[in-house]
Amino acid sequence: MARGSRLARLAALGLLGVATLTGCEMPNNEFWRFGWPNGITEQAEDMRKLWTGSVIAALVVGFAVWGLILWSVVRHRKRSDELPKQTAYNLPLEIVYTILPFVIIAALFFFTVVVQDKVMKRSANPDETVAVRAFKWNWQFSYPDKKGQNGAPVTTVGTTSEIPILVLPTDRKIRFEVSSADVIHSFWVPEFLFKRDVIPGNENGRNNVFEVTVHEKGAYVGRCAELCGTYHAYMNFEVRSVSGDDYDAYLAAREDGMSTSEALEKIGQPGHATATHPFDYLQNGNVVKQSSGG
Ligand SMILES: [Cu+2]
């Protein structure tokens, strides 16, 4: 009877954990994020829910274990020299503590796969497509569907004195196709909570395509996350997420022949990067000062 009720209690705790993981709306604030960074994409939010649910499940298991330890220590502390009842080779008990961890791992694995599938999902028809090209040591962003005055796709290229700005719309599915002109780089926007290696020779269509939907407007730094040579650390760019209308107006201005910064100013945005700035660097032992913004 005692064993039965304990099992029932453990099962109830397990169910609570699963119910928590399947995540009825979990509040998103400093406490419930349990140290998880606050992402700005739909995919980042899915990952955040997985993290919050996993931590809650871990705490439920933790409190059950700590409770059992405490109970054993207090209830079964030594009272006399008489040997207490021995319970080795209690088969039902051994089966339970073999199966329970397996169930816990299976649940964590299940929800991890579900979220991973969401994060890696490629839709048949994304709303926007951006081609990202990494090279030593900067970035080029182009919009293959939008043609500028010269008939070539609208493009922004970074230079040593100008941080390239990748303008993105909020609340639209954006497909990224990343490619490299030389060595392995890695496309990383910390606020996306996502990075993807940019591998030369792996041209559009395979593992170099991913999608995000950005929720928050703002300016966010992007980085190269793969050591790619001397000026790797200087490969910063900026993501500027704006409303869908502003994004359309920005691209229309680019199609009319405006530069990145002119088109940004036209939609009321700062024309140069605000989340990061060009670095000063050493050339022949001298610090080369760069204009802030180009
Ligand atoms: Cu790089």
Side-chain angles (χ1 to χ4, degrees):
M1 187 59 204
R3 190 192 298 147
S5 69
R6 198 181 310 157
L7 282 180
R9 203 170 53 195
L10 278 173
L13 283 174
L15 276 178
L16 178 69
V18 171
T20 315
L21 269 172
T22 44
C24 337
E25 278 314 295
M26 270 165 291
N28 181 5
N29 57 43
E30 194 71 32
F31 178 79
W32 289 104
R33 278 201 299 274
F34 297 115
W36 185 261
N38 201 12
I40 58 165
T41 64
E42 194 182 296
Q43 289 76 6
E45 179 61 9
D46 288 332
M47 291 186 266
R48 202 274 308 165
K49 284 179 187 163
L50 175 69
W51 172 249
T52 298
S54 300
V55 173
I56 291 172
L59 285 173
V60 167
V61 173
F63 277 109
V65 171
W66 296 326
L68 286 171
I69 290 173
L70 200 68
W71 175 77
S72 308
V73 166
V74 174
R75 177 76 181 73
H76 294 293
R77 65 189 185 282
K78 186 174 177 183
R79 293 194 180 80
S80 69
D81 284 334
E82 195 187 323
L83 207 58
K85 197 180 99 188
Q86 298 300 293
T87 53
Y89 307 112
N90 181 322
L91 202 58
L93 197 60
E94 289 185 7
I95 289 173
V96 165
Y97 65 59
T98 304
I99 286 178
L100 259 186
F102 179 80
V103 169
I104 292 168
I105 291 166
L108 289 175
F109 181 75
F110 172 79
F111 289 110
T112 302
V113 169
V114 167
V115 170
Q116 181 175 295
D117 282 352
K118 275 190 188 167
V119 171
M120 307 296 275
K121 186 164 181 271
R122 296 181 200 170
S123 53
N125 291 303
D127 300 319
E128 309 293 337
T129 299
V130 181
V132 174
R133 190 140 177 98
F135 59 92
K136 290 194 285 187
W137 284 278
N138 224 308
W139 301 89
Q140 171 187 292
F141 306 114
S142 55
Y143 304 84
D145 308 331
K146 309 288 171 190
K147 301 277 185 276
Q149 296 277 291
N150 56 3
V154 167
T155 295
T156 298
V157 191
T159 67
T160 45
S161 59
E162 178 154 3
I163 297 282
I165 300 178
L166 172 57
V167 180
L168 298 176
T170 50
D171 302 321
R172 291 189 194 170
K173 263 185 216 130
I174 307 161
R175 169 175 296 200
F176 291 80
E177 298 178 347
V178 298
S179 66
S180 168
D182 36 52
V183 299
I184 301 176
H185 300 272
S186 182
F187 178 88
W188 183 36
V189 180
E191 264 80 8
F192 285 5
L193 310 188
F194 186 93
K195 63 168 84 122
R196 171 54 54 84
D197 270 13
V198 184
I199 297 172
N202 181 14
E203 294 304 331
N204 298 343
R206 298 227 303 272
N207 294 325
N208 54 352
V209 176
F210 63 92
E211 292 179 13
V212 298
T213 302
V214 179
H215 280 326
E216 303 279 329
K217 291 184 202 126
Y220 307 96
V221 67
R223 305 180 189 281
C224 177
E226 180 70 50
L227 180 58
C228 58
T230 313
Y231 297 109
H232 156 70
Y234 299 179
M235 271 183 77
N236 280 8
F237 60 96
E238 176 170 309
V239 162
R240 189 77 62 78
S241 54
V242 299
S243 70
D245 287 346
D246 281 354
Y247 173 79
D248 293 336
Y250 166 81
L251 280 181
R254 293 298 312 275
E255 285 176 308
D256 285 345
M258 281 190 184
S259 69
T260 303
S261 79
E262 288 166 347
L264 275 168
E265 275 163 12
K266 185 159 183 258
I267 60 167
Q269 289 276 331
H272 296 287
T274 58
T276 181
H277 60 84
F279 293 81
D280 302 327
Y281 63 95
L282 284 174
Q283 206 170 55
N284 303 323
N286 302 311
V287 173
V288 178
K289 282 278 177 205
Q290 302 188 11
S291 59
S292 60

mmCIF file of all heavy atoms in Angstrom, residues 134-139 183-186 224-229 231-232 235, ligand 1:
data_model
loop_
_atom_site.group_PDB
_atom_site.id
_atom_site.type_symbol
_atom_site.label_atom_id
_atom_site.label_comp_id
_atom_site.label_asym_id
_atom_site.label_seq_id
_atom_site.Cartn_x
_atom_site.Cartn_y
_atom_site.Cartn_z
ATOM 1 N N ALA A 134 29.382 35.515 -47.186
ATOM 2 C CA ALA A 134 30.480 35.870 -46.295
ATOM 3 C C ALA A 134 31.779 35.803 -47.079
ATOM 4 O O ALA A 134 31.944 34.955 -47.950
ATOM 5 C CB ALA A 134 30.524 34.900 -45.112
ATOM 6 N N PHE A 135 32.671 36.730 -46.784
ATOM 7 C CA PHE A 135 33.996 36.672 -47.406
ATOM 8 C C PHE A 135 35.004 37.241 -46.428
ATOM 9 O O PHE A 135 34.628 37.890 -45.455
ATOM 10 C CB PHE A 135 33.999 37.432 -48.748
ATOM 11 C CG PHE A 135 33.617 38.887 -48.632
ATOM 12 C CD1 PHE A 135 34.597 39.868 -48.456
ATOM 13 C CD2 PHE A 135 32.286 39.282 -48.693
ATOM 14 C CE1 PHE A 135 34.247 41.212 -48.352
ATOM 15 C CE2 PHE A 135 31.932 40.628 -48.580
ATOM 16 C CZ PHE A 135 32.913 41.599 -48.419
ATOM 17 N N LYS A 136 36.278 36.982 -46.675
ATOM 18 C CA LYS A 136 37.308 37.537 -45.801
ATOM 19 C C LYS A 136 37.446 39.024 -46.102
ATOM 20 O O LYS A 136 37.873 39.370 -47.197
ATOM 21 C CB LYS A 136 38.650 36.831 -46.019
ATOM 22 C CG LYS A 136 38.645 35.390 -45.500
ATOM 23 C CD LYS A 136 40.034 34.805 -45.394
ATOM 24 C CE LYS A 136 40.579 34.457 -46.773
ATOM 25 N NZ LYS A 136 41.858 33.725 -46.702
ATOM 26 N N TRP A 137 37.082 39.965 -45.187
ATOM 27 C CA TRP A 137 36.475 39.726 -43.897
ATOM 28 C C TRP A 137 35.269 40.622 -43.746
ATOM 29 O O TRP A 137 35.317 41.634 -43.053
ATOM 30 C CB TRP A 137 37.497 39.994 -42.777
ATOM 31 C CG TRP A 137 38.503 38.883 -42.633
ATOM 32 C CD1 TRP A 137 38.323 37.718 -41.948
ATOM 33 C CD2 TRP A 137 39.803 38.818 -43.204
ATOM 34 N NE1 TRP A 137 39.453 36.931 -42.062
ATOM 35 C CE2 TRP A 137 40.366 37.583 -42.825
ATOM 36 C CE3 TRP A 137 40.536 39.678 -44.024
ATOM 37 C CZ2 TRP A 137 41.646 37.197 -43.216
ATOM 38 C CZ3 TRP A 137 41.809 39.282 -44.406
ATOM 39 C CH2 TRP A 137 42.347 38.049 -43.996
ATOM 40 N N ASN A 138 34.228 40.280 -44.429
ATOM 41 C CA ASN A 138 33.017 41.077 -44.299
ATOM 42 C C ASN A 138 31.808 40.300 -44.832
ATOM 43 O O ASN A 138 31.916 39.100 -45.083
ATOM 44 C CB ASN A 138 33.154 42.429 -45.013
ATOM 45 C CG ASN A 138 32.617 43.561 -44.148
ATOM 46 O OD1 ASN A 138 31.487 43.478 -43.663
ATOM 47 N ND2 ASN A 138 33.417 44.598 -43.952
ATOM 48 N N TRP A 139 30.717 41.031 -44.973
ATOM 49 C CA TRP A 139 29.472 40.381 -45.383
ATOM 50 C C TRP A 139 28.825 41.122 -46.534
ATOM 51 O O TRP A 139 28.926 42.337 -46.648
ATOM 52 C CB TRP A 139 28.463 40.370 -44.223
ATOM 53 C CG TRP A 139 28.934 39.681 -43.014
ATOM 54 C CD1 TRP A 139 29.635 40.236 -41.978
ATOM 55 C CD2 TRP A 139 28.752 38.293 -42.679
ATOM 56 N NE1 TRP A 139 29.900 39.276 -41.025
ATOM 57 C CE2 TRP A 139 29.367 38.078 -41.430
ATOM 58 C CE3 TRP A 139 28.123 37.221 -43.306
ATOM 59 C CZ2 TRP A 139 29.373 36.840 -40.803
ATOM 60 C CZ3 TRP A 139 28.127 35.983 -42.689
ATOM 61 C CH2 TRP A 139 28.756 35.802 -41.441
ATOM 62 N N VAL A 183 36.567 30.933 -47.198
ATOM 63 C CA VAL A 183 36.761 29.928 -46.144
ATOM 64 C C VAL A 183 35.459 29.739 -45.353
ATOM 65 O O VAL A 183 34.449 30.337 -45.678
ATOM 66 C CB VAL A 183 37.907 30.353 -45.186
ATOM 67 C CG1 VAL A 183 39.206 30.479 -45.960
ATOM 68 C CG2 VAL A 183 37.555 31.652 -44.487
ATOM 69 N N ILE A 184 35.519 28.926 -44.313
ATOM 70 C CA ILE A 184 34.329 28.724 -43.482
ATOM 71 C C ILE A 184 34.123 29.920 -42.557
ATOM 72 O O ILE A 184 35.025 30.297 -41.810
ATOM 73 C CB ILE A 184 34.452 27.440 -42.637
ATOM 74 C CG1 ILE A 184 34.642 26.220 -43.532
ATOM 75 C CG2 ILE A 184 33.207 27.259 -41.770
ATOM 76 C CD1 ILE A 184 34.872 24.930 -42.759
ATOM 77 N N HIS A 185 32.962 30.530 -42.656
ATOM 78 C CA HIS A 185 32.559 31.561 -41.714
ATOM 79 C C HIS A 185 31.342 31.022 -40.964
ATOM 80 O O HIS A 185 30.930 29.886 -41.177
ATOM 81 C CB HIS A 185 32.188 32.855 -42.444
ATOM 82 C CG HIS A 185 33.304 33.437 -43.262
ATOM 83 N ND1 HIS A 185 34.232 34.300 -42.748
ATOM 84 C CD2 HIS A 185 33.647 33.259 -44.564
ATOM 85 C CE1 HIS A 185 35.098 34.640 -43.702
ATOM 86 N NE2 HIS A 185 34.769 34.020 -44.814
ATOM 87 N N SER A 186 30.778 31.846 -40.088
ATOM 88 C CA SER A 186 29.564 31.416 -39.414
ATOM 89 C C SER A 186 28.674 32.625 -39.180
ATOM 90 O O SER A 186 29.107 33.624 -38.618
ATOM 91 C CB SER A 186 29.903 30.719 -38.089
ATOM 92 O OG SER A 186 28.718 30.256 -37.472
ATOM 93 N N CYS A 224 30.622 37.068 -37.091
ATOM 94 C CA CYS A 224 31.131 35.823 -37.638
ATOM 95 C C CYS A 224 31.544 34.978 -36.439
ATOM 96 O O CYS A 224 32.269 35.449 -35.572
ATOM 97 C CB CYS A 224 32.320 36.054 -38.556
ATOM 98 S SG CYS A 224 33.014 34.496 -39.167
ATOM 99 N N ALA A 225 31.069 33.741 -36.373
ATOM 100 C CA ALA A 225 31.335 32.911 -35.203
ATOM 101 C C ALA A 225 32.286 31.758 -35.530
ATOM 102 O O ALA A 225 32.311 30.757 -34.824
ATOM 103 C CB ALA A 225 30.032 32.376 -34.627
ATOM 104 N N GLU A 226 33.030 31.908 -36.616
ATOM 105 C CA GLU A 226 33.990 30.857 -36.967
ATOM 106 C C GLU A 226 35.313 31.544 -37.278
ATOM 107 O O GLU A 226 35.365 32.389 -38.180
ATOM 108 C CB GLU A 226 33.488 30.087 -38.199
ATOM 109 C CG GLU A 226 34.406 28.976 -38.664
ATOM 110 C CD GLU A 226 34.436 27.812 -37.701
ATOM 111 O OE1 GLU A 226 33.364 27.331 -37.325
ATOM 112 O OE2 GLU A 226 35.547 27.400 -37.325
ATOM 113 N N LEU A 227 36.364 31.177 -36.526
ATOM 114 C CA LEU A 227 37.665 31.816 -36.730
ATOM 115 C C LEU A 227 38.087 31.649 -38.191
ATOM 116 O O LEU A 227 38.332 30.544 -38.653
ATOM 117 C CB LEU A 227 38.707 31.184 -35.804
ATOM 118 C CG LEU A 227 40.117 31.774 -35.910
ATOM 119 C CD1 LEU A 227 40.122 33.264 -35.631
ATOM 120 C CD2 LEU A 227 41.067 31.048 -34.990
ATOM 121 N N CYS A 228 38.124 32.783 -38.934
ATOM 122 C CA CYS A 228 38.302 32.686 -40.383
ATOM 123 C C CYS A 228 39.527 33.423 -40.866
ATOM 124 O O CYS A 228 39.717 33.590 -42.065
ATOM 125 C CB CYS A 228 37.052 33.200 -41.086
ATOM 126 S SG CYS A 228 36.652 34.906 -40.646
ATOM 127 N N GLY A 229 40.368 33.884 -39.942
ATOM 128 C CA GLY A 229 41.597 34.542 -40.369
ATOM 129 C C GLY A 229 41.852 35.820 -39.596
ATOM 130 O O GLY A 229 41.206 36.098 -38.592
ATOM 131 N N TYR A 231 41.296 39.090 -39.696
ATOM 132 C CA TYR A 231 40.322 40.094 -39.290
ATOM 133 C C TYR A 231 38.951 39.503 -38.969
ATOM 134 O O TYR A 231 37.925 40.178 -39.079
ATOM 135 C CB TYR A 231 40.225 41.190 -40.361
ATOM 136 C CG TYR A 231 41.538 41.926 -40.511
ATOM 137 C CD1 TYR A 231 42.327 41.751 -41.648
ATOM 138 C CD2 TYR A 231 42.020 42.745 -39.491
ATOM 139 C CE1 TYR A 231 43.557 42.388 -41.767
ATOM 140 C CE2 TYR A 231 43.246 43.378 -39.593
ATOM 141 C CZ TYR A 231 44.014 43.198 -40.741
ATOM 142 O OH TYR A 231 45.214 43.819 -40.840
ATOM 143 N N HIS A 232 38.974 38.233 -38.578
ATOM 144 C CA HIS A 232 37.743 37.547 -38.178
ATOM 145 C C HIS A 232 36.937 38.361 -37.167
ATOM 146 O O HIS A 232 35.722 38.510 -37.288
ATOM 147 C CB HIS A 232 38.111 36.177 -37.601
ATOM 148 C CG HIS A 232 37.095 35.600 -36.672
ATOM 149 N ND1 HIS A 232 35.868 35.146 -37.105
ATOM 150 C CD2 HIS A 232 37.104 35.438 -35.324
ATOM 151 C CE1 HIS A 232 35.186 34.712 -36.057
ATOM 152 N NE2 HIS A 232 35.904 34.881 -34.978
ATOM 153 N N MET A 235 34.495 41.117 -38.298
ATOM 154 C CA MET A 235 33.390 40.807 -39.229
ATOM 155 C C MET A 235 32.015 41.037 -38.602
ATOM 156 O O MET A 235 31.168 40.150 -38.570
ATOM 157 C CB MET A 235 33.482 39.348 -39.691
ATOM 158 C CG MET A 235 34.322 39.154 -40.938
ATOM 159 S SD MET A 235 34.320 37.448 -41.488
ATOM 160 C CE MET A 235 32.724 37.290 -42.273
HETATM 161 CU CU CU B 1 34.396 34.979 -40.856
#
